[in-house]
Amino acid sequence: MDEPELRPLGPEEVGLLYRRELKGTFPPSELKPLRTIQRHMRAGRYPVWGLYQGEELTAYALLWQTWDGGAALLDYLGVPGERRGQGWGSRMLAQLRRIYGERAAILAEVEAPEAAEPGERALQERRLDFYRRAGFRYAGFDSRLFGVHYRLLAAGPGEEPELLEAYHSHAEAMGTVFRAGRALNIMP
């Protein structure tokens, strides 16, 4: 079996990924418009990666990064349905940590278990554990976006003040995507 290969995806490939994977995986309220993603890609702020086994896509990650490259927010992490539960998401995070290494923090938003409906708490705890096993830690703050309470996790360098600044930078850059009444609130 071939070693998995991490490849950057271009705007056209992302269009296919968006239609085939993201639209069916992520709730419409959480999905940025494709044209916004592609615009940020062309500006050099939104790398998109695919993890391939041969020619088969096994995982994907879309990140927003600061201008200085000091932090990247994991906007979307996914594994195609037939590949879920086989460790591909963990492999993708390991590849991202290898690429960003000690030069950039990777931030991840995970729904806070204590804010979830009782039937969803176990799922949110598993998601937090998934990121912790991948080397992520609590970034020191939470946020509320689109009415959802998120816990912010980080891997790599940076402490709370720098991570919070990077998160604010992301919110400002993506501000055109947020619809009226869906404010971003940072919570200590």
Side-chain angles (χ1 to χ4, degrees), residues 6 9 17 20-26 31 48-52 56-63 74-93 96 127 130-131:
L6 190 65
L9 303 182
L17 177 70
R20 291 182 181 164
E21 290 293 329
L22 277 81
K23 285 183 85 169
T25 302
F26 295 93
L31 196 55
V48 178
W49 297 95
L51 186 61
Y52 287 84
E56 182 184 0
L57 179 70
T58 60
Y60 55 88
L62 292 80
L63 299 100
L74 183 58
D75 229 0
Y76 303 101
L77 173 68
V79 174
E82 67 278 1
R83 289 298 198 152
R84 290 186 186 140
Q86 299 174 22
W88 291 106
S90 297
R91 288 183 186 116
M92 174 58 90
L93 288 177
L96 293 174
R127 286 181 179 158
F130 166 76
Y131 283 99

Side-chain angles (χ1 to χ4, degrees), residues 4-121:
E5 178 186 3
L6 190 65
R7 302 178 197 163
L9 303 182
E12 280 76 34
E13 293 168 300
V14 170
L16 288 172
L17 177 70
Y18 190 89
R19 289 184 286 282
R20 291 182 181 164
E21 290 293 329
L22 277 81
K23 285 183 85 169
T25 302
F26 295 93
S29 64
E30 293 179 13
L31 196 55
K32 290 176 177 60
L34 175 59
R35 67 184 178 284
T36 301
I37 291 171
Q38 290 173 326
R39 184 179 72 240
H40 286 289
M41 287 179 72
R42 285 189 290 277
R45 304 251 346 236
Y46 206 89
V48 178
W49 297 95
L51 186 61
Y52 287 84
Q53 183 76 46
E55 291 305 311
E56 182 184 0
L57 179 70
T58 60
Y60 55 88
L62 292 80
L63 299 100
W64 173 89
Q65 61 191 23
T66 57
W67 283 116
D68 66 2
L73 174 71
L74 183 58
D75 229 0
Y76 303 101
L77 173 68
V79 174
E82 67 278 1
R83 289 298 198 152
R84 290 186 186 140
Q86 299 174 22
W88 291 106
S90 297
R91 288 183 186 116
M92 174 58 90
L93 288 177
Q95 290 288 332
L96 293 174
R97 294 202 60 205
R98 183 183 58 78
I99 288 171
Y100 287 92
E102 293 304 313
R103 72 174 174 84
I106 302 171
L107 292 167
E109 299 166 315
V110 181
E111 291 181 43
E114 63 274 11
E117 296 294 322
E120 295 288 314
R121 286 187 183 145

Side-chain angles (χ1 to χ4, degrees), residues 151-174:
R151 171 95 9 95
L152 271 290
L153 305 177
E159 297 300 324
E160 183 178 346
E162 297 89 10
L163 299 173
L164 184 58
E165 183 179 329
Y167 194 68
H168 272 290
S169 177
H170 170 262
E172 290 171 11
M174 292 296 178

